[in-house]
DNA sequence: AGACTAATTGCGACTTTTTTGCAAATACTT
DNA sequence: AAGTATTTGCAAAAAAGTCGCAATTAGTCT
């Protein structure tokens, strides 16, 4: 996966640099994360400004995308660098579970086609209370 | 709809004020919008700080929620004040179309149940190229 | 209608987040 | 190993969001 990443950069005439590897590595370890986490955790290997520039670049290259999970803005690797999935976000504990569902995917395709839309990507976030939190504070 | 809004405020012991009406009215007119648009367009009737406070309040009261459309962070009225729907966002022209689909909704219910999740809300964004933009710049 | 009171506003100062210019450093080519 | 275009870190600036507080206002009670 890291090889594919390097290849994509080189094919675009871009350099494989320390900050880019650092940020990419972090994103691989923490699939769903925030900009401020990346800044904080990559501080040793990448200046704040470089993190912003790197994230902007990754976005443009389709390496990451922005999503909302549990009402908060997050970033994560796109399907090319992580398996396609969606999120169930718990509003109480903040954790996000990952789901994949074929029927869901077909519906989204059908809807896109019906509207003459050429789909590039999609994202789904289900917010609610996870099983564990329901047990802990029953209602 | 505006009556229901006023009622909700009063029932919560909150006042119906100029800024709140102004912001609510703007949100009704521009379903999918951004914080900065609200600030800009409501400047006459609400100070920047009041807009932030008002939006925070609306969020807490479940009057608005944050969504991502076409990769950008937007806000819109929740289902109670606008009919439930999702978005097809064009990455080229930036416009968003609205869709409702029952099969999709059932999928989300099924997925939530399967994971023991008590669903509170969900959001979907399909990003791509709309029919019009495909015609204009064919590929 | 007028007075009372708690909620809300606008303002300005402030913090946080994001962007930008530029000289120095670095990755890649030859 | 040198050459070059890209990228980085830094510092400064712009943009976005927050907060305290005195003044104002909506709703209530007479």
């Amino acid at each position: 996966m890291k090889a594919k990443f390097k290849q994509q950069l080189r094919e675009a005439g871009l350099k494989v640099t320390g900050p880019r590897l650092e940020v990419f590595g972090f994103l691989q370890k923490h699939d769903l994360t925030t900009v401020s986490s990346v800044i904080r955790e990559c501080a040793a290997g990448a200046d704040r400004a470089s993190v912003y520039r790197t994230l902007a670049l990754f976005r443009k290259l389709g390496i990451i995308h922005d999503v909302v999970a549990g009402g908060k803005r997050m970033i994560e690797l796109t399907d090319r660098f992580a398996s396609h999935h969606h999120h169930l976000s718990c509003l109480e504990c903040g954790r996000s579970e990952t789901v994949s569902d074929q029927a869901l995917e077909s519906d989204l395709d059908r809807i896109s086609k019906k509207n003459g839309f050429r789909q590039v990507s999609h994202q789904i976030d289900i917010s609610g209370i996870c099983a564990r939190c329901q047990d802990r504070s029953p209602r």
Side-chain angles (χ1 to χ4, degrees), chain A:
Chain A
M1 210 82 282
K2 186 159 284 183
K4 190 203 258 184
F5 166 68
K6 292 182 181 176
Q7 185 192 343
Q8 181 173 359
L9 286 179
R10 294 215 173 88
E11 279 173 2
L14 299 166
K15 293 180 177 178
V16 175
T17 66
R20 286 172 186 169
L21 286 168
E22 172 110 7
V23 171
F24 184 76
F26 180 78
L27 293 169
Q28 281 192 304
K29 278 209 282 282
H30 308 268
D31 178 42
L32 197 59
T33 188
T34 62
V35 174
S36 56
S37 300
V38 179
I39 291 173
R40 182 166 17 86
E41 301 299 325
C42 296
D47 183 75
R48 200 171 69 257
S50 295
V51 170
Y52 280 113
R53 283 185 286 231
T54 298
L55 292 177
L57 176 70
F58 285 7
R59 247 174 234 123
K60 198 171 65 179
L61 295 176
I63 292 172
I64 63 169
H65 63 162
D66 297 340
V67 302
V68 163
K72 284 179 301 195
R73 184 192 217 186
M74 314 287 286
I75 55 180
E76 67 174 1
L77 293 173
T78 56
D79 299 353
R80 279 217 309 292
F81 294 96
S83 67
H84 185 69
H85 64 269
H86 298 295
H87 301 284
L88 289 169
S89 311
C90 180
L91 297 170
E92 200 151 310
C93 65
R95 255 183 283 263
S96 286
E97 298 170 37
T98 281
V99 292
S100 299
D101 189 273
Q102 193 43 56
L104 190 55
E105 301 297 326
S106 322
D107 282 336
L108 295 171
D109 282 350
R110 173 177 52 74
I111 292 167
S112 298
K113 286 210 182 76
K114 196 177 83 180
N115 288 67
F117 214 79
R118 177 152 55 85
Q119 187 179 168
V120 171
S121 69
H122 61 246
Q123 68 163 89
I124 298 175
D125 176 55
I126 300 179
S127 293
I129 309 296
C130 72
R132 191 207 305 215
C133 287
Q134 281 176 62
D135 291 347
R136 199 183 307 150
S137 55
R139 154 151 315 208

